[in-house]
Amino acid sequence: MEKPTENLSEVLRVRREKLDELRAQGQDPFLLARFDKTHSSAEILSDFDALEGKTVSLAGRLMSKRVMGKASFSHMQDFEGQIQLYVRRDVLGEEAYAAYKKTDIGDIVGVSGEVFKTNAGEISIKAHSITLLAKSLLPLPEKFHGLRDTDLRYRQRYVDLIVNPEVKKTFRARTTIIRSIREYLDNKGYIEVETPILMSEAGGAAARPFETHHNTLDLDMYMRIATELHLKRLIVGGFEKVYELGRVFRNEGMSIKHNPEFTTIELYQAYANMEDMMALCENLFFYCADKLLGTGKIVYQGTEVDLQPPWRRLSMIDAVKQYTGADFSDCTDAQAMELATSLGIAPEQPQTRGALLYAAFEAFVEDKLTEPTFITGYPVEVSPLAKKMPESPWLTERFELFITARELANAFSELNDPADQRARFQEQAQQRAAGDEEAHVMDEDFLNALEYGMAPTGGMGIGIDRMVMLLTDSASIRDVILFPTMKPKE
């Protein structure tokens, strides 16, 4: 935060003395419970012709103040923007004008007055009355520089929202995107549901969960890492199109792309497959972009991206071959080890062809996928919940969506064979026993549900935060989460 020009301790003392004086006079602003507003700043600015000469009431925070003897100018900011106040002593009255002169930048006021335009052409409010609604006891950052320290911006988002108008715009865009997602799916016949956040076993993804404890049950529990397994239980129960939009929690590292708690949407459709999910995915992204921006052609961090469907489809085998020349399509595990070694991938222990294909993809392909691209044909080893491809059973009917070298969506033709699912869980259990904390847990109740029969199902998860990053041109995930996880200050 920029240092104020005055000594901070002196500023704090003066502001608190002003509050004490108000209280002594029986004018404590914190005793006021409401203020009747008739308009916002944006409504006045956009509808000036109809409102000129009329009396309006609005409220907000003083962002500037220029006192010139008998008349003064201020700018007041509400949720919609800023508007100028013109304050005259002969209109407001001696006592009220003196009280106004004692207000500080950052104070919250209610104003009633006449809408007019100054000689300079600025739409303004000629104040008839000004009511102090809340006293700001801390100064805002220096007005010409604002709050630029990103760590402090994330820790004190309330100040960030006050002094950086573009931040508020980003979070209003996030609301529009989420509303558009719901609108699109609801119109397609999907039903929004809620599933547990606290779980006795955290499943549905490969991730390390956060642990907690239920005192009454004396039971260790976990924050959910995905909503998948409960939503598929609903497919078993007869729901045909369901989705859940909400927070999941993963005990992992933090970066510009990762926050330990983040927002996803998972959706499942009976009698559908991976191909249906592809069509839904690209159309949903385009729909949200068009709702927010009026176009599917966007720019992300200087890179142009066209979201107009259809998008590129590329198998993982072909992607690795395209970017490295290595062909994993028809080789043994031993030959795959030789291929991986030639690429500079040297695992400590022998690995399967599928695991090595995935390692090559992560190392050499992901960061090349700028245009919207569906990568298909993921190995079984990294896809414990997806159907195998009948013609290549070491691969699965799974895709991930990459845009600007980031994964934004993950989808399967869902595995509904209970015997195959049990075998996959058992393989994951062996990986956990060998030390892989992110391997999938055994979920006996989910296996029990599958034994009642689950229709062929297509399922997909989309990272909402990354989607918002893309559509708002935000460089970091912390820019699109109001209160991101932060390490406590010493």
Side-chain angles (χ1 to χ4, degrees):
M1 186 184 294
E2 297 289 332
K3 293 182 180 178
T5 54
E6 301 175 74
N7 180 273
L8 180 59
S9 61
E10 176 67 12
V11 171
L12 300 182
R13 183 187 65 78
V14 170
R15 291 196 178 205
R16 280 157 176 76
E17 286 180 353
K18 288 181 179 180
L19 177 60
D20 291 340
E21 183 181 344
L22 287 167
R23 284 172 167 162
Q25 296 169 353
Q27 298 175 9
D28 187 345
F30 296 116
L31 294 180
L32 299 176
R34 70 188 307 273
F35 180 82
D36 287 320
K37 294 168 51 180
T38 62
H39 295 80
S40 69
S41 62
E43 288 170 335
I44 295 167
L45 295 173
S46 65
D47 201 18
F48 172 75
D49 290 342
L51 292 173
E52 184 178 13
K54 294 185 178 179
T55 298
V56 297
S57 295
L58 63 168
R61 190 182 298 272
L62 291 178
M63 298 300 292
S64 72
K65 184 180 170 189
R66 186 159 44 99
V67 177
M68 301 179 298
K70 297 180 181 180
S72 303
F73 288 95
S74 291
H75 277 90
M76 189 188 72
Q77 177 174 285
D78 60 13
F79 182 66
E80 301 292 341
Q82 290 193 14
I83 193 165
Q84 181 170 264
L85 307 180
Y86 178 51
V87 187
R88 291 179 57 94
R89 185 171 63 186
D90 58 355
V91 175
L92 210 59
E94 292 279 354
E95 186 176 336
Y97 189 70
Y100 159 76
K101 288 170 66 176
K102 290 184 178 180
T103 58
D104 294 301
I105 292 174
D107 287 354
I108 296 174
V109 298
V111 178
S112 292
E114 177 188 338
V115 178
F116 81 112
K117 189 176 289 187
T118 65
N119 292 334
E122 183 169 356
I123 297 171
S124 306
I125 306 296
K126 185 185 296 182
H128 296 162
S129 67
I130 299 178
T131 306
L132 180 62
L133 302 174
K135 184 68 185 167
S136 175
L137 300 178
L138 289 171
L140 296 176
E142 201 275 329
K143 62 179 180 179
F144 295 112
H145 300 286
L147 191 61
R148 298 303 180 204
D149 180 329
T150 53
D151 183 79
L152 192 57
R153 284 181 53 220
Y154 301 142
R155 290 182 188 280
Q156 297 185 5
R157 181 68 85 186
Y158 39 91
V159 182
D160 189 28
L161 289 166
I162 293 169
V163 300
N164 292 323
E166 69 277 6
V167 175
K168 199 175 293 179
K169 182 179 178 182
T170 295
F171 287 103
R172 295 188 72 169
R174 181 185 176 108
T175 297
T176 298
I177 293 166
I178 290 174
R179 184 187 300 119
S180 299
I181 292 170
R182 285 192 164 107
E183 182 178 86
Y184 183 85
L185 293 175
D186 292 347
N187 289 338
K188 292 287 185 181
Y190 280 79
I191 296 174
E192 184 173 9
V193 297
E194 295 175 306
T195 64
I197 291 176
L198 285 177
M199 308 176 72
S200 57
E201 295 287 356
R208 182 190 303 165
F210 286 96
E211 300 180 24
T212 186
H213 187 80
H214 192 295
N215 291 336
T216 302
L217 297 177
D218 190 22
L219 178 68
D220 288 335
M221 300 192 77
Y222 305 91
M223 306 289 282
R224 69 184 181 192
I225 58 174
T227 57
E228 176 166 347
L229 299 188
H230 279 93
L231 291 174
K232 289 200 284 194
R233 284 171 169 90
L234 296 180
I235 297 293
V236 171
F239 282 77
E240 293 190 359
K241 292 182 176 181
V242 294
Y243 73 90
E244 181 170 12
L245 200 158
R247 286 289 178 100
V248 296
F249 310 85
R250 298 185 183 179
N251 201 347
E252 58 189 19
M254 296 187 290
S255 72
I256 62 169
K257 297 186 291 184
H258 298 90
N259 193 67
E261 55 174 316
F262 57 98
T263 304
T264 67
I265 183 169
E266 289 198 37
L267 57 93
Y268 294 85
Q269 180 177 339
Y271 314 110
N273 66 2
M274 180 188 73
E275 295 292 333
D276 298 299
M277 293 299 105
M278 278 190 195
L280 181 65
C281 184
E282 60 191 4
N283 287 316
L284 175 60
F285 269 78
F286 182 80
Y287 182 85
C288 291
D290 191 53
K291 280 283 186 176
L292 179 67
L293 305 169
T295 179
K297 294 183 178 180
I298 66 172
V299 176
Y300 181 76
Q301 301 296 291
T303 299
E304 294 185 2
V305 177
D306 189 351
L307 297 177
Q308 176 71 51
W311 295 345
R312 180 168 70 149
R313 275 97 161 135
L314 190 63
S315 74
M316 185 175 289
I317 288 175
D318 288 342
V320 170
K321 185 176 180 180
Q322 176 178 326
Y323 290 102
T324 71
D327 187 355
F328 285 82
S329 62
D330 188 21
C331 61
T332 64
D333 289 348
Q335 290 169 332
M337 283 289 290
E338 293 177 5
L339 272 178
T341 302
S342 71
L343 295 174
I345 301 172
E348 294 180 1
Q349 302 291 333
Q351 293 189 16
T352 63
R353 172 173 53 154
L356 294 167
L357 169 64
Y358 185 65
F361 172 76
E362 284 191 309
F364 301 109
V365 180
E366 275 194 31
D367 63 353
K368 312 290 194 310
L369 302 176
T370 300
E371 67 174 289
T373 304
F374 291 119
I375 296 295
T376 63
Y378 275 66
V380 170
E381 290 88 339
V382 294
S383 311
L385 297 164
K387 276 184 182 287
K388 293 177 181 177
M389 298 175 72
E391 68 279 11
S392 301
W394 67 288
L395 301 174
T396 62
E397 294 187 13
R398 172 187 176 187
F399 76 75
E400 285 188 323
L401 166 65
F402 290 87
I403 307 177
T404 65
R406 293 176 181 176
E407 181 238 321
L408 281 90
N410 185 24
F412 315 145
S413 294
E414 300 293 338
L415 178 58
N416 62 343
D417 179 342
D420 190 356
Q421 185 65 84
R422 179 175 292 278
R424 307 266 195 104
F425 280 171
Q426 288 170 342
E427 173 61 29
Q428 292 285 305
Q430 292 174 11
Q431 294 180 26
R432 287 182 71 85
D436 183 354
E437 295 182 73
E438 296 188 355
H440 205 287
V441 297
M442 178 69 73
D443 189 329
E444 288 290 350
D445 183 72
F446 177 66
L447 291 170
N448 189 64
L450 287 186
E451 290 188 351
Y452 279 96
M454 184 175 84
T457 298
M460 177 167 59
I462 297 172
I464 298 298
D465 306 306
R466 291 187 183 180
M467 185 182 189
V468 175
M469 287 172 65
L470 177 72
L471 296 182
T472 61
D473 193 19
S474 299
S476 170
I477 196 170
R478 293 183 175 187
D479 293 328
V480 299
I481 296 176
L482 277 168
F483 300 102
T485 303
M486 304 290 291
K487 181 179 180 181
K489 300 187 75 170
E490 295 296 334

